[in-house]
Amino acid sequence: MLSFSSIQISTFIGTFWWPFCRIMGAFMVMPFLGNNYIPATVRILLAISISAMIAPILPPFPEVDAISFHALFLAVEQLLIGFMLALFLSIMIHVMTMFGAMMSMQMGLSMAVMNDPSSGGANPLLGLWFMLYGTLLFLALDGHLVAIGILVDSFRLWPIGMGVFDLPLMGLIGRISWIFAASFMLALPAILAMLVVNITFGVLSRSAPSLNVFALGFPMSMLMGLLCVFFSFSGLPTRYSDLCLDALSAMYQFIGGI
């Protein structure tokens, strides 16, 4: 009759459980996979499948009793590490949302919002559109496959048992300012074009006070804004692919990669 000690059972459970916690923590916020439209069952089964496939190549785990507080703390720690890794990609997607919000503000569509059931709130109309475009472009570039590869490498670069607070957390916090810088870089040509339009209507209102500038200015601003959106798509894939590469590189360096 076979008999197993509690240490052996704990090691066997940890071989699948702790990698599953880290991967599941990443899938909770990762673009596309973290969307509420993806059922939780699909995410759980995908995390279990990846954990089972990478289990033979993982480094040895610390021997911890499966029903101890240490094991619970270790599981929560892996959830946090996976969450922080995927947060780099979530920030990257929100660059497109803020880019669309800036465009909407310049066009006069700042009050036009659309309810987004996936985020539980209201987003600017162009913000939601550009967010979907950025997500599809990220998938077309196979960014999700690269992100999963970085998750697998994280078990080698940052093995289970190393603390969360030893990670470069300031690098993650600094990515918040990166959202504003990257979105402003994308929206700067359109902002300058709309600024010229507004200055033109300002000069027109001073030279011809009897002209109803509001009746003429709003349609022209909308038309000019749509033209700016149209021309923005000419170079947007190239610039956004650079942002995706930057986000994936920062994600890899966060866990000690070079």
Side-chain angles (χ1 to χ4, degrees), residues 42-225:
V42 174
R43 281 178 278 181
I44 292 173
L45 290 176
L46 183 59
I48 291 174
S49 302
I50 296 175
S51 301
M53 286 188 291
I54 67 175
I57 62 173
L58 294 178
F61 301 107
E63 295 183 355
V64 179
D65 190 1
I67 57 175
S68 63
F69 285 104
H70 189 193
L72 178 62
F73 176 77
L74 205 57
V76 174
E77 193 175 61
Q78 300 312 305
L79 283 171
L80 289 175
I81 292 175
F83 175 83
M84 288 187 290
L85 286 173
L87 196 58
F88 285 94
L89 304 179
S90 180
I91 289 173
M92 176 196 66
I93 294 297
H94 284 296
V95 168
M96 298 297 285
T97 304
M98 186 166 292
F99 168 54
M102 290 181 181
M103 296 284 289
S104 297
M105 188 177 299
Q106 296 299 318
M107 293 172 57
L109 291 174
S110 57
M111 297 299 294
V113 296
M114 179 180 292
N115 291 325
D116 184 11
S118 63
S119 63
N123 292 319
L125 185 61
L126 287 180
L128 184 60
W129 185 31
F130 277 109
M131 183 187 69
L132 293 175
Y133 179 77
T135 303
L136 293 176
L137 190 59
F138 177 72
L139 296 176
L141 294 171
D142 290 335
H144 58 296
L145 300 179
V146 178
I148 293 175
I150 294 175
L151 275 175
V152 174
D153 287 341
S154 69
F155 294 101
R156 175 180 55 85
L157 297 171
W158 201 264
I160 295 174
M162 298 184 68
V164 175
F165 297 104
D166 295 330
L167 290 167
L169 299 178
M170 290 305 298
L172 178 59
I173 296 173
R175 302 301 290 185
I176 304 300
S177 62
W178 181 78
I179 296 179
F180 297 95
S183 57
F184 182 72
M185 179 195 70
L186 294 176
L188 185 59
I191 291 175
L192 293 177
M194 295 303 298
L195 180 61
V196 172
V197 173
N198 292 331
I199 292 176
T200 302
F201 281 110
V203 173
L204 184 63
S205 65
R206 296 293 294 178
S207 60
S210 60
L211 186 65
N212 190 350
V213 181
F214 291 101
L216 180 64
F218 184 75
M220 292 301 296
S221 297
M222 184 72 66
L223 180 61
M224 187 63 185

